[in-house]
Amino acid sequence: MHFSFYTLLFFSCLSGLTLVAGHGFVHEVDVGGQTYPGWNPSVDNYSGAVPGVVRKVASDGPVVDFTGANISCNVGGSDPGTKVAEVSSGSPITFDWSYWPSDHQGPVTTYMASCGGDCTTFNADNARWFKIDAMGYQDGQWAANKLITNNASWTSTIPAGLAPGQYLARHEIIALHSNPAQYYPSCSQLKVTGSGTGQPSDSDLVSMPDVYSNVQYPDIYTDSPAQMQAFVVPGPPIVTFDGTAPASNSPEPSLSSNSSSTATAATASSDNGTTMIPQTSYPTPMPSSAPSSSCSLGSRKLIRRRSLVKRH
Ligand SMILES: *[C@@H]1O[C@H](CO)[C@@H](O)[C@H](O)[C@H]1NC(C)=O
Ligand SMILES: *[C@@H]1O[C@H](CO)[C@@H](O)[C@H](O)[C@H]1NC(C)=O
Ligand SMILES: *[C@@H]1O[C@H](CO)[C@@H](O)[C@H](O)[C@H]1NC(C)=O
Ligand SMILES: *[C@@H]1O[C@H](CO)[C@@H](O)[C@H](O)[C@H]1NC(C)=O
Ligand SMILES: *[C@@H]1O[C@H](CO)[C@@H](O)[C@H](O)[C@H]1NC(C)=O
Ligand SMILES: [Cu+2]
């Protein structure tokens, strides 16, 4: 099995000009003043390790069957780890990625879900998620690029005022260099402390395969910055429990009041989980702009269709 996995990866990389080190996984989570190791699939799979705070991932690649339960917490991550990380509401949580390739551009999103008690016995398949952080294309770059320039790490904030209890934090990069998009989720088990009483409302909560059905992603190779900026990260708005604005990183529900039609379109489409975006597909990356096609798993010749952003 081990060899066939690498053999497969090797051959999928051969079509590119260069091989890259891989895609990436969350190799450390910093939260509540502690650092917890991530699940390193190429080591921990074979060492007899058991997952602690950070749940398993099958590989450093994307979740291939993203229309099923594996999209929740990656392949192997439905099953619990043995530990929870204690953290007070309103505190940061940093996800350190082992590596992130520069051609894997796209949104970064962090969700949480109540474990309904004990995360160390909680199966993630039926989790209902609320969004705590999201960034698409903003300030001239995709969120993944911001992550790369921040030492391949991303910091989200446990919402201030969130009621104490055990929660999963689900952090994810969505890479748009191939079609379909590639999903790289990672789940960590948290015990949130504090005196908050905030609970997500029904409209804040989504089920994980559902939220990604029928999303039209922008074409990162040919769309204009305005078109990419108009893209609203899928899912509900970011929760707030204490009346303050959502923490950094999020343009939603309203983009910085740039009175262009793209901002208007984005705002208009963010009322619910459905995202109205130009319908595009992805050409095979040009060699000059694509250091690797190791990961162009879904790249294929597609006829590009363009429809206009829906205008209200
Ligand atoms: C790790 O194990 C899982 C299932 O146990 C398997 O699907 C996956 O391919 C393995 N990953 C690696 C990198 O060998
Ligand atoms: C999750 O992924 C694994 C490995 O690809 C696959 O064997 C399994 O059937 C998937 N589970 C679901 C619920 O799709
Ligand atoms: C960058 O990340 C590595 C690995 O997570 C870490 O060891 C290093 O201290 C980080 N550097 C900075 C400047 O944060
Ligand atoms: C509107 O967008 C343009 C181009 O991205 C930018 O230069 C300008 O500063 C923005 N204005 C506001 C008010 O955000
Ligand atoms: C979401 O909003 C869009 C655009 O207004 C609408 O077409 C769609 O039916 C809505 N979906 C849901 C689930 O409310
Ligand atoms: Cu990749």
Side-chain angles (χ1 to χ4, degrees), residues 65-135:
D65 57 331
F66 56 86
T67 59
N70 285 328
I71 191 68
S72 294
C73 284
N74 213 310
V75 178
S78 293
D79 296 332
T82 55
K83 295 180 180 157
V84 293
E86 194 165 312
V87 56
S88 53
S89 60
S91 313
I93 176 168
T94 297
F95 306 93
D96 291 317
W97 290 75
S98 56
Y99 170 75
W100 199 250
S102 60
D103 62 338
H104 283 36
Q105 294 298 335
V108 172
T109 317
T110 308
Y111 282 92
M112 290 177 72
S114 170
C115 290
D118 184 355
C119 285
T120 68
T121 59
F122 180 68
N123 182 304
D125 289 356
N126 299 316
R128 300 193 71 215
W129 303 93
F130 54 97
K131 193 189 272 175
I132 66 165
D133 186 15
M135 176 180 163

Side-chain angles (χ1 to χ4, degrees), residues 236-307:
I238 291 168
V239 294
T240 53
F241 299 119
D242 64 353
T244 61
S248 62
N249 297 333
S250 175
E252 45 186 349
S254 58
L255 291 166
S256 58
S257 62
N258 210 323
S259 59
S260 72
S261 58
T262 57
T264 306
T267 302
S269 64
S270 66
D271 298 330
N272 60 30
T274 305
T275 311
M276 295 298 181
I277 286 301
Q279 188 157 1
T280 59
S281 55
Y282 311 107
T284 303
M286 300 307 292
S288 61
S289 66
S292 123
S293 67
S294 73
C295 311
S296 54
L297 296 174
S299 94
R300 38 183 212 240
K301 294 206 171 80
L302 289 166
I303 296 157
R304 188 149 184 275
R305 287 170 297 160
R306 173 170 298 289
S307 55

Side-chain angles (χ1 to χ4, degrees), residues 1-2 5-6 39 41-43 45-46 56-60 75-76:
M1 295 308 287
H2 178 183
F5 172 80
Y6 286 109
W39 184 263
S42 58
V43 173
N45 254 19
Y46 306 103
K56 280 187 184 180
V57 296
S59 73
D60 68 357
V75 178

